[in-house]
Amino acid sequence: MKIVRFGTDAGPAYGSLDEHGSVFAISGDIFGDFDVGGRVADYDDLKILAPVDPPKLIGVGGNYLEHLHEGGEDVFVPQFPMVFQLPSTSVIGPGDPIVIPDKAGFTHAVNDPSLQDAPFSPVDYESELVAVIGKPCHRIDPDDALDYVLGYSCGNDVSARPLQVAEMATGVLMLGKGLETFKPLGPVIATDLDPTDLRLRGRHNGVVTQDTSTSDLLFSVASLVTYLAQAIRLEPGDCIYTGTPSGGGSLVPGDTIEVEIDGIGVLGNPVVAG
């Protein structure tokens, strides 16, 4: 099933997207018992929202080996997942604009003379598989980890790179990846997928710049869920951005960026100036 979330006059609603592009109403709780009812509309005629409003948003760094090698010859390979929490207010849906901020407010953190004449803070895109938790999850059997996942979506871990680097030098990581509009998510939650070998592609202005399989993840979805659940209680709707492969790049106003994952679909967003 492909679960979509869309806007109505009464607020957000859930639906089931079929292979012909029709959306059928869902009544009940997508994380519990629900029913699929009558046809609502064509997908293209609805305002599609991020497929979930996550209670918690968790990122994973350095989870593809080739991406780690992009940083230079002396590669630090993590022995356990490098995770960080992000504000859920940074989530946007398909078609919503990614807003690139100007440098105002960041000059105290980013002391880089080369950026003084640049109108915007350099911002990168990162195409990622996102796992959406389906039921409460704490201290679980690793063999059961995927049973706690409702499904999967496409994500873009947009990052204000100079601010991120400045933060990481002090041992923290949040603002550089947590700005408003910096976590596109969607277009659907696809259930009943095997996350161990999904083809993931990122397209920058129509050109494929990232192309890999989730089989190359250093830490699989199951291991990430198990690791996180050792320490914190994962809740229905929590989203785990599982990391980006090599090939990401920078965004400027006027760009478009797409993340496509087989079995899920395409998440596309325009880029605008703040």
Side-chain angles (χ1 to χ4, degrees):
M1 174 180 285
K2 290 184 176 180
I3 299 171
V4 297
R5 183 166 167 261
F6 56 93
T8 75
D9 292 341
Y14 282 103
S16 174
L17 175 65
D18 74 5
E19 65 273 19
H20 305 296
S22 292
V23 174
F24 295 81
I26 286 179
S27 59
D29 181 5
I30 65 165
F31 302 107
D33 295 326
F34 65 88
D35 295 307
V36 178
R39 184 179 183 277
V40 177
D42 288 337
Y43 175 90
D44 292 338
D45 293 334
L46 295 171
K47 169 54 180 173
I48 303 299
L49 309 174
V52 67
D53 185 8
K56 289 192 290 296
L57 196 64
I58 299 168
V60 183
N63 205 19
Y64 285 89
L65 189 59
E66 287 189 7
H67 179 51
L68 292 172
H69 279 291
E70 287 182 310
E73 294 183 359
D74 296 327
V75 177
F76 169 76
V77 179
Q79 300 304 302
F80 54 87
M82 299 191 300
V83 297
F84 48 93
Q85 192 159 357
L86 296 160
S88 58
T89 52
S90 58
V91 171
I92 58 173
D96 293 335
I98 298 167
V99 180
I100 297 185
D102 61 25
K103 293 183 300 181
F106 300 117
T107 53
H108 65 289
V110 183
N111 184 21
D112 186 342
S114 68
L115 301 179
Q116 291 181 359
D117 295 328
F120 303 103
S121 175
V123 167
D124 289 354
Y125 59 89
E126 298 184 354
S127 307
E128 307 198 2
L129 174 72
V130 177
V132 182
I133 298 298
K135 54 186 178 180
C137 175
H138 189 218
R139 296 179 181 174
I140 60 171
D141 185 325
D143 292 337
D144 299 331
L146 293 184
D147 293 340
Y148 293 87
V149 178
L150 173 66
Y152 304 91
S153 196
C154 303
N156 195 334
D157 183 17
V158 180
S159 308
R161 202 64 82 196
L163 180 57
Q164 175 192 340
V165 171
E167 284 187 293
M168 291 175 66
T170 70
V172 300
L173 179 58
M174 182 175 178
L175 294 185
K177 288 178 171 284
L179 276 73
E180 294 286 303
T181 77
F182 269 31
K183 290 296 162 284
L185 179 66
V188 302
I189 300 171
T191 65
D192 303 315
L193 285 184
D194 178 0
T196 61
D197 189 14
L198 297 173
R199 187 181 179 192
L200 181 154
R201 294 174 295 285
R203 285 191 293 272
H204 183 204
N205 296 330
V207 177
V208 175
T209 56
Q210 296 184 285
D211 192 346
T212 193
S213 167
T214 57
S215 62
D216 290 333
L217 284 167
L218 289 176
F219 300 101
S220 67
V221 172
S223 63
L224 291 173
V225 171
T226 302
Y227 175 76
L228 289 164
Q230 291 182 82
I232 62 176
R233 186 176 300 277
L234 298 174
E235 303 169 292
D238 286 350
C239 290
I240 305 170
Y241 281 62
T242 60
T244 194
S246 61
S250 295
L251 297 172
V252 296
D255 284 353
T256 58
I257 187 70
E258 293 177 313
V259 180
E260 181 175 7
I261 302 177
D262 287 357
I264 301 173
V266 179
L267 168 67
N269 298 89
V271 182
V272 302

